[in-house]
Amino acid sequence: MLYDKDKISIRQAMFLFLTVIASPAIRLVPVIAAQTAQEAAWLAPIVAAVILFLNVLVWNRIYKKYKNDSLMHIYSDIAGKFIGKLLSIIYFLWATLLVCVYVMYFAVRLVGSIYPDTNPSIFIISILVLVVYLLRYGLVTLARLNEIVFPMFAVTFLIIFIMLMPYLQVIFLGPVTYKSILPVINAGIGISGLSSYYTFLFVLGDKINNKESIKKIGIQTTIFILVNQILLIVMTLGSFSYSVIKRSQLPLLLAVKQISLFNTLEKIESVIVAGWVFSDFVLICFFSIIALKILKSLFGLSDERHLAKIFMVLIFFLSLYLSSTIFELERLSSYVLIPGDFILGFIVPVIMLAVGKIRKKI
Amino acid sequence: MIKLVIFVVILSFIEIKSMVKKQQKKEIFVYLGLAVISLALGLLYLSNPYRTSLAQHMLRLIGQEF
């Protein structure tokens, strides 16, 4: 492995991945799991972890051959230039759509949780200005910032779980019978749409060092996500039961609001909001970097940084035009984004691996 | 709307000037493409902010409108 100051390590990449999925996971995982698997929802992350593990194996196999290439180059080499370009365009459009959706979620959630009666455009402009500022410095700065902040939020999450334990009721987490198997599998597939963002990391594959450790670090990441998602579902479902959680928009916030330590330490939900804001910021930066990187690859550009500002102007109007209500966003997530994430993040790499094997490219 | 056009023109002028210095021709074309799309989207949105959203169009396309 050669050190390169313009690249990030696979560990930093996995930290980025963990932060990127944190915000949507907090919002969607308990709801999707509760809607589909009801009391057995807390088992759904096991299915999602199996799918993520398979995804790790797929990318580990692909990167044994393509040591220092990006996803776009790998797809072009395996499936031919035309299909490769077509897939690059689809990934670009998808990354742009994801940026818009998460910008809108960020704004609508802040308005819904702590700043009612505020125009969401204020939050959209604020976050986009910050994103433009960070894009000047690029991926390495984002990864280093995340490397420092992510462990703090992970520890905070654990502390919040411990503080919530007295409020949890085991009766809400059962009964689990053989009839729960199919709903758990369905819920797990729903959740795994988020962990499919793992594939998007490899759009930046040429900027990631020591990919020979993909399998080892990938398995560690899978176990971390599995434990975290189970804790998240136990925290929310254990507090209010599945029938409440499946109808709620911010289940974790709802659960954390009940924490009160000796009637002195209260209002801890602001910590959760801080974590969300940071996760959303990293998420929006990450997908913006990916969209610009794909654009650079598509048109053979030498530098994409000049495009950042105008791209954010596009994102601003596209976000406003995309949706203005949380209900539309949630429906869009459930019916379009999660299946799309799963297809682009898991199905396409598996097909590419199979095609690569048939054509003896891998 | 006029403010939006002025903003995009000023931003484009600054960025394109820098790209011309570095002789980045392809970047200028891509930038202009993005600028035109941004401007069109901005004008479309500002002309009627209450029109049917993109999410509604997408959901209608897959038969999940509400």
Side-chain angles (χ1 to χ4, degrees):
Chain A
M1 175 198 81
L2 291 171
Y3 176 77
D4 189 336
K5 69 180 172 67
D6 293 329
K7 291 187 177 185
I8 61 171
S9 66
I10 188 77
R11 194 172 62 93
Q12 285 175 317
M14 290 304 152
F15 269 25
L16 265 181
F17 167 61
L18 289 172
T19 309
V20 160
I21 65 163
S23 166
I26 284 172
R27 192 181 57 249
L28 290 173
V29 166
V31 179
I32 293 175
Q35 279 171 351
T36 320
Q38 300 185 347
E39 294 97 339
W42 57 278
L43 290 170
I46 297 172
V47 178
V50 171
I51 294 171
L52 178 59
F53 174 67
L54 293 175
N55 211 357
V56 170
L57 293 183
V58 166
W59 283 104
N60 181 56
R61 186 72 195 84
I62 290 174
Y63 270 106
K64 275 190 178 160
K65 169 77 194 323
Y66 298 93
K67 300 251 184 249
N68 204 23
D69 293 311
S70 65
L71 177 141
M72 292 82 74
H73 181 266
I74 295 169
Y75 283 1
S76 289
D77 194 53
I78 291 174
K81 260 196 166 174
F82 176 74
I83 306 259
K85 289 268 180 204
L86 188 70
L87 281 171
S88 295
I89 293 169
I90 293 170
Y91 272 81
F92 168 74
L93 293 175
W94 197 255
T96 308
L97 179 68
L98 288 177
V99 176
C100 295
V101 168
Y102 288 119
V103 163
M104 214 53 215
Y105 261 129
F106 166 78
V108 170
R109 189 188 305 136
L110 276 178
V111 171
S113 58
I114 48 176
Y115 294 108
D117 303 324
T118 311
N119 188 344
S121 298
I122 295 168
F123 300 114
I124 296 178
I125 293 171
S126 321
I127 193 95
L128 291 183
V129 168
L130 271 177
V131 171
V132 165
Y133 181 73
L134 193 126
L135 290 184
R136 281 172 62 193
Y137 300 99
L139 178 68
V140 178
T141 308
L142 179 70
R144 285 179 186 166
L145 166 75
N146 181 60
E147 204 178 10
I148 297 166
V149 184
F150 171 74
M152 289 197 273
F153 282 118
V155 172
T156 311
F157 181 79
L158 191 67
I159 292 170
I160 285 175
F161 176 74
I162 293 166
M163 289 168 88
L164 256 177
M165 278 174 81
Y167 302 91
L168 302 182
Q169 295 183 49
V170 182
I171 196 167
F172 290 151
L173 304 173
V176 178
T177 66
Y178 69 93
K179 285 182 181 172
S180 309
I181 294 173
L182 264 179
V184 165
I185 291 173
N186 284 336
I189 292 172
I191 294 172
S192 66
L194 291 178
S195 41
S196 302
Y197 290 162
Y198 181 79
T199 292
F200 286 81
L201 274 178
F202 300 106
V203 169
L204 310 164
D206 53 339
K207 298 277 179 198
I208 299 174
N209 271 324
N210 53 325
K211 286 190 282 291
E212 57 271 24
S213 313
I214 282 183
K215 193 174 172 185
K216 186 185 154 201
I217 308 259
I219 290 171
Q220 289 171 355
T221 308
T222 307
I223 293 168
F224 185 87
I225 291 173
L226 171 66
V227 173
N228 252 297
Q229 290 188 344
I230 289 177
L231 290 185
L232 178 64
I233 295 175
V234 167
M235 274 158 85
T236 49
L237 239 71
S239 297
F240 299 111
S241 87
Y242 80 90
S243 54
V244 175
I245 295 304
K246 72 177 183 184
R247 291 179 180 88
S248 84
Q249 284 164 3
L250 303 165
L252 186 64
L253 199 74
L254 212 65
V256 172
K257 270 185 178 172
Q258 59 181 335
I259 294 177
S260 170
L261 207 63
F262 310 121
N263 288 329
T264 49
L265 186 62
E266 288 178 337
K267 304 250 176 209
I268 301 177
E269 62 270 19
S270 52
V271 178
I272 295 291
V273 175
W276 272 343
V277 170
F278 178 73
S279 170
D280 276 333
F281 172 66
V282 173
L283 175 68
I284 294 163
C285 286
F286 176 75
F287 281 111
S288 302
I289 290 172
I290 281 176
L292 290 172
K293 168 89 179 164
I294 298 174
L295 214 54
K296 181 183 176 184
S297 159
L298 271 172
F299 293 100
L301 309 178
S302 58
D303 186 8
E304 77 277 24
R305 270 178 297 184
H306 287 296
L307 307 177
K309 287 178 195 135
I310 197 71
F311 184 68
M312 288 304 138
V313 176
L314 190 149
I315 292 294
F316 175 71
F317 286 112
L318 201 54
S319 305
L320 289 173
Y321 186 35
L322 181 71
S323 171
S324 54
T325 67
I326 190 85
F327 304 108
E328 277 179 1
L329 285 173
E330 280 176 349
R331 215 168 167 87
L332 190 71
S333 287
S334 302
Y335 290 102
V336 180
L337 295 184
I338 298 274
D341 288 337
F342 188 73
I343 291 167
L344 291 178
F346 183 65
I347 306 285
V348 173
V350 169
I351 292 171
M352 284 295 141
L353 180 67
V355 173
K357 287 263 186 202
I358 292 165
R359 297 184 72 186
K360 293 191 169 52
K361 295 264 185 185
I362 295 173
Chain B
M1 282 197 196
I2 293 170
K3 283 179 194 166
L4 169 69
V5 175
I6 294 170
F7 174 72
V8 172
V9 168
I10 293 173
L11 187 67
S12 303
F13 177 74
I14 297 166
E15 292 289 343
I16 289 174
K17 204 175 141 187
S18 159
M19 284 187 266
V20 168
K21 267 187 195 167
K22 294 178 189 167
Q23 294 185 322
Q24 297 174 325
K25 280 185 190 167
K26 272 194 267 184
E27 280 79 355
I28 294 172
F29 284 117
V30 176
Y31 187 96
L32 286 174
L34 286 177
V36 169
I37 296 169
S38 307
L39 211 54
L41 264 174
L43 295 176
L44 184 75
Y45 176 76
L46 293 174
S47 64
N48 179 12
Y50 304 105
R51 72 173 71 234
T52 311
S53 68
L54 198 61
Q56 284 280 16
H57 286 302
M58 290 164 87
L59 289 168
R60 192 174 297 158
L61 206 67
I62 56 165
Q64 291 294 339
E65 63 184 316
F66 66 103

